[in-house]
Amino acid sequence: MKNNRRGDMGLLIFIILAILMMTVISPFFLGTSNNNVATQEVTLGQLTGLLKEGKIKALTIVSNSRAIAEALDGTQYVTEIDLIAEDRLLAAADASPVSVDIKVQQERTSIWVAILNSWLPTIILILFFMFMFRQTSSGGNQVFSFTRSKARLYMEDKPSVTFKDVAGAEEAKKDLLEIVDFLKNPRKYQLIGAKIPKGVLLVGPPGVGKTLMAKAVAGEAGVPFFSVSGSEFVEMFVGVGAARVRDLFEQARRYAPCIVFIDEIDAVGRERGAGIGGGHDEREQTLNQLLVEMDGFDPYAGIIVLAATNRPDILDSALLRPGRFDRKVVLDLPDVQGRKHILQIHMRGKPISNDVDVERLAKITPGFSGADLANLVNEAALLAARKNKHYIEMAEFEEAVERVMLGPQRGRTLSQEEKNITAYHEIGHAICTAVLDDAREIHKISIVPRGVAGGYVFGSMAEEKMMYKREELIREIAVLLGGRAAEETFLHTQTTGAQNDLERATDIARRMVVEWGMSDLGPITLEERQEMVFLGREIARHRNYSEATAQLIDKKVSEILNEAYEKAKQVLEERAEKVHEIATRLLEVETLTGEEFLQLLSEG
Ligand code: ADP
Ligand code: MG
Ligand code: ZN
């Protein structure tokens, strides 16, 4: 082991020396020119000023590195630039009263110098850490490997996205309007001594437009938008995340007023020392740096930090303290009206046929996020293109809804027997729906496999309600069990195809007993579930009852399931002839529209 370590040390010193040598020597290989002209370092602001005054005749931009300007009197001005500064300079050159000869080039220095310039400090740092790690690690013979992924700092100067491009989030927009106004005119707020939040947390499930909204705030205010994702910080080498945060805010200070957007902040900002993956050193350092930066900047500096998360419940409370992310703006899944607007936004500029009923599309897509709806419009366009249509028609949109919901139609076909069972199963669902729940529309019954489903009944679901009556829940369970009831009643068999139905039915029945006090165990809550906000996934149940009660609960749950099952069976048995008739028809055509189905059901 000792030898090994000494070898490392030798190697380390060798590498460092080699690097130093190259840095010293390499400038001699670079043809340096223009040594005879007076060159003056200026700031970006000075250079734009000179351009606008018409004092510059030629401008050479070396992309993302520096700009060299030649004045009318022959003086050379040099300034460091990045991509945003580049745009500003070009705009200033456009505004110049004299014509400016503009050249834009990529950096064309020796590759070694380029690498050394940008990587030298990092390489030395990494080697140093590697060395330290070797020294301290007990084994000594383990291979030390790491991936170094730089968090990508994304910048956009004055994004073109505005509030007009974000639909159905009126509350959120209203909350953010103040921020926009502040960014447009920080002085106004400073003079009057009004306090402006430094940090705003955008909270909501995936795909509701958090990123879009953050960008729209920058777009509305006409300020630069810096963004970085929390998940990229945490993969990094110790210390690098914190350095990146420092970089980020340094940039932001240069371009203020501006927006700094931190996506997936929960990745860095998870409660310290708690839960899964707690005590991650790197994450903690990164988080600390973030807190330091946020406390550090002047509230009137014109930097607003927006952060997005779908897990506000797990954020470290330090992040939420006053002066940090003390504002919360909630973005929810859109309602019917919101969905309609989102669809309209994404249909803009596409050839949409007159037969497309946006209102109906909005109605049949409860639970769709903005991203799902954007995807839906795109799928419809793809389908239309595939059929060589010049317009996107309602048919494409309807198919797209099913695609987004259930996945594309599967190439594999069902065997004759599977088809038969699927037909009866789906008709079981459909008839129970039609008979028991007249508020629900049925749009389609199909035995063409799609996604993971063998067949499906495609209908409107009731919009999420604030509360449900016991009868409604029983009815819902009966509809879920309708498939299995049909299998048993008409084919005298049971299939695995009912698994998902059974799971959902059992879940409702169980909650009726333990949470909503809807059984003769009485009006009592026996379990509280803690749901992860927005994910709807349950993480813990608190059971506060004995083993004996547990058995009683199981009994009550199965009583409810049986009650609903009998109901479904009865509905189907009373319509046995209809069931056979509709099944025959469905097997012939494989897909029935809601109207055709209801027609068959009510006939005769
Ligand atoms: P999130 O960051 O919340 O996961 P995104 O902002 O990335 O969601 O949304 C993804 C895409 O979905 C957006 O680029 C946009 O096309 C669409 N979208 C989401 N919400 C909306 C909305 N409210 N209005 C218009 N488009 C939306
Ligand atoms: Mg996002
Ligand atoms: Zn089913």
Side-chain angles (χ1 to χ4, degrees):
M1 293 305 122
K2 266 226 170 95
N3 270 340
N4 212 345
R5 212 169 273 167
R6 202 169 297 151
D8 286 347
M9 177 108 81
L11 183 68
L12 180 75
I13 290 169
F14 174 77
I15 292 175
I16 291 182
L17 277 179
I19 289 170
L20 286 176
M21 290 266 286
M22 272 195 265
T23 1
V24 174
I25 292 170
S26 51
F28 295 107
F29 295 127
L30 270 184
T32 39
S33 52
N34 292 331
N35 282 335
N36 47 348
V37 187
T39 304
Q40 216 179 312
E41 286 257 359
V42 288
T43 65
L44 178 63
Q46 284 169 329
L47 189 52
T48 34
L50 287 166
L51 274 164
K52 283 185 187 156
E53 286 164 28
K55 299 222 170 103
I56 303 294
K57 66 175 180 197
L59 177 67
T60 307
I61 288 178
V62 183
S63 198
N64 211 11
S65 161
R66 62 191 183 277
I68 304 143
E70 194 180 343
L72 294 172
D73 63 9
T75 324
Q76 272 207 353
Y77 298 102
V78 179
T79 190
E80 279 188 24
I81 54 164
D82 54 22
L83 293 172
I84 288 186
E86 203 171 305
D87 281 349
R88 299 223 161 142
L89 277 178
L90 289 173
D94 267 349
S96 170
V98 301
S99 92
V100 182
D101 180 20
I102 300 174
K103 273 200 219 98
V104 179
Q105 40 181 255
Q106 300 302 316
E107 182 121 49
R108 227 181 329 112
T109 48
S110 135
I111 185 132
W112 271 107
V113 177
I115 290 174
L116 285 173
N117 272 340
S118 57
W119 285 76
L120 185 62
T122 334
I123 290 173
I124 290 181
L125 193 79
I126 290 175
L127 287 173
F128 176 70
F129 273 111
M130 233 163 124
F131 179 64
M132 294 298 286
F133 190 90
R134 281 275 168 106
Q135 288 286 32
T136 48
S137 76
S138 52
N141 57 346
Q142 77 205 80
V143 181
F144 178 55
S145 69
F146 57 86
T147 48
R148 183 179 182 282
S149 75
K150 256 190 180 181
R152 259 164 300 141
L153 176 60
Y154 168 91
M155 296 182 240
E156 195 172 330
D157 197 11
K158 300 176 191 150
S160 58
V161 179
T162 64
F163 282 167
K164 276 207 306 293
D165 303 295
V166 190
E170 299 311 318
E171 275 301 296
K173 280 186 209 163
K174 221 165 38 191
D175 291 347
L176 291 167
L177 218 50
E178 182 190 25
I179 307 266
V180 171
D181 192 49
F182 169 73
L183 287 169
K184 278 186 178 159
N185 195 354
R187 280 282 291 164
K188 181 172 100 187
Y189 287 80
Q190 184 172 17
L191 287 176
I192 207 149
K195 238 171 108 190
I196 273 294
K198 284 181 180 177
V200 178
L201 205 56
L202 300 174
V203 176
V208 288
K210 298 183 291 296
T211 309
L212 187 69
M213 184 65 105
K215 209 181 258 192
V217 171
E220 282 286 323
V223 301
F225 175 77
F226 292 85
S227 97
V228 74
S229 172
S231 64
E232 290 182 59
F233 281 136
V234 291
E235 296 165 19
M236 279 186 300
F237 198 46
V238 177
V240 180
R244 277 268 131 187
V245 172
R246 240 183 341 262
D247 273 5
L248 172 65
F249 279 88
E250 200 180 293
Q251 291 282 331
R253 270 190 290 271
R254 281 176 61 194
Y255 290 102
C258 66
I259 290 281
V260 172
F261 177 61
I262 304 175
D263 209 353
E264 301 175 59
I265 195 169
D266 40 282
V268 260
R270 197 182 295 149
E271 183 93 52
R272 275 172 291 189
I276 331 113
H280 190 301
D281 241 10
E282 168 58 9
R283 216 191 58 229
E284 220 161 274
Q285 286 192 23
T286 309
L287 174 59
N288 272 330
Q289 190 61 39
L290 181 60
L291 299 178
V292 167
E293 295 291 345
M294 285 200 71
D295 291 348
F297 68 74
D298 171 359
Y300 298 108
I303 303 175
I304 301 275
V305 188
L306 300 180
T309 181
N310 49 14
R311 302 288 308 277
D313 52 321
I314 60 162
L315 286 186
D316 198 298
S317 52
L319 268 176
L320 307 174
R321 274 216 286 277
R324 294 170 185 165
F325 293 97
D326 49 6
R327 289 274 182 100
K328 222 187 256 177
V329 169
V330 178
L331 290 165
D332 254 326
L333 287 175
D335 60 6
V336 184
Q337 215 46 30
R339 291 200 296 274
K340 186 177 145 195
H341 288 149
I342 295 173
L343 283 168
Q344 281 166 338
I345 282 182
H346 290 279
M347 285 178 182
R348 253 183 348 214
K350 294 197 173 68
I352 305 290
S353 153
N354 285 335
D355 77 331
V356 172
D357 182 350
V358 184
E359 223 140 278
R360 205 174 99 79
L361 285 173
K363 238 196 215 151
I364 62 176
T365 48
F368 273 46
S369 69
D372 292 333
L373 293 166
N375 186 13
L376 162 72
V377 176
N378 190 49
E379 283 285 336
L382 287 174
L383 286 168
R386 204 168 306 151
K387 296 182 199 162
N388 296 319
K389 288 189 177 179
H390 297 294
Y391 290 93
I392 314 173
E393 294 177 4
M394 192 63 178
E396 279 80 58
F397 278 104
E398 277 178 351
E399 165 138 30
V401 172
E402 290 166 39
R403 259 170 188 264
V404 174
M405 232 181 223
L406 303 159
Q409 285 190 354
R410 261 190 290 162
R412 200 181 74 83
T413 44
L414 301 176
S415 73
Q416 200 53 45
E417 186 185 16
E418 285 171 322
K419 262 191 188 170
N420 195 41
I421 295 172
T422 306
Y424 277 92
H425 180 104
E426 299 308 333
I427 288 168
H429 286 307
I431 292 188
C432 288
T433 308
V435 174
L436 296 173
D437 190 352
D438 45 14
R440 242 162 83 164
E441 269 179 70
I442 291 169
H443 299 306
K444 188 172 182 178
I445 308 175
S446 172
I447 52 170
V448 179
R450 203 178 253 292
V452 291
Y456 54 95
V457 176
F458 184 57
S460 67
M461 282 164 272
E463 281 279 309
E464 282 277 289
K465 295 216 292 183
M466 291 300 286
M467 60 172 84
Y468 295 90
K469 292 187 278 195
R470 185 176 195 279
E471 309 87 86
E472 288 169 333
L473 294 170
I474 296 279
R475 196 165 71 191
E476 183 67 26
I477 298 175
V479 168
L480 285 167
L481 296 180
R484 167 55 62 84
E487 290 172 9
E488 280 198 357
T489 312
F490 304 106
L491 305 171
H492 313 290
T493 185
Q494 299 170 336
T495 73
T496 54
Q499 184 205 344
N500 185 255
D501 299 337
L502 297 182
E503 260 172 36
R504 284 160 61 196
T506 310
D507 187 53
I508 297 175
R510 193 173 170 85
R511 296 183 71 178
M512 287 171 70
V513 177
V514 299
E515 286 177 43
W516 303 321
M518 288 179 179
S519 74
D520 52 18
L521 291 183
I524 180 172
T525 289
L526 293 157
E527 274 178 17
E528 286 165 60
R529 31 172 102 191
Q530 285 185 340
E531 275 173 19
M532 292 201 272
V533 185
F534 297 112
L535 291 189
R537 217 190 302 146
E538 118 194 52
I539 46 175
R541 286 166 179 242
H542 291 292
R543 324 201 140 170
N544 19 16
Y545 47 78
S546 66
E547 196 47 42
T549 313
Q551 286 184 13
L552 263 180
I553 291 172
D554 290 342
K555 190 157 158 272
K556 294 300 154 194
V557 171
S558 91
E559 276 174 23
I560 289 179
L561 288 170
N562 281 324
E563 176 187 341
Y565 187 68
E566 286 310 316
K567 190 172 211 150
K569 238 178 144 160
Q570 190 196 341
V571 165
L572 296 176
E573 274 166 356
E574 281 168 6
R575 294 166 182 77
E577 243 169 76
K578 283 284 167 207
V579 174
H580 290 303
E581 194 188 317
I582 299 172
T584 313
R585 180 89 186 116
L586 184 57
L587 282 164
E588 261 168 47
V589 295
E590 298 197 341
T591 301
L592 288 172
T593 66
E595 283 153 36
E596 287 165 344
F597 166 73
L598 289 177
Q599 178 79 31
L600 286 169
L601 185 64
S602 59
E603 260 170 14

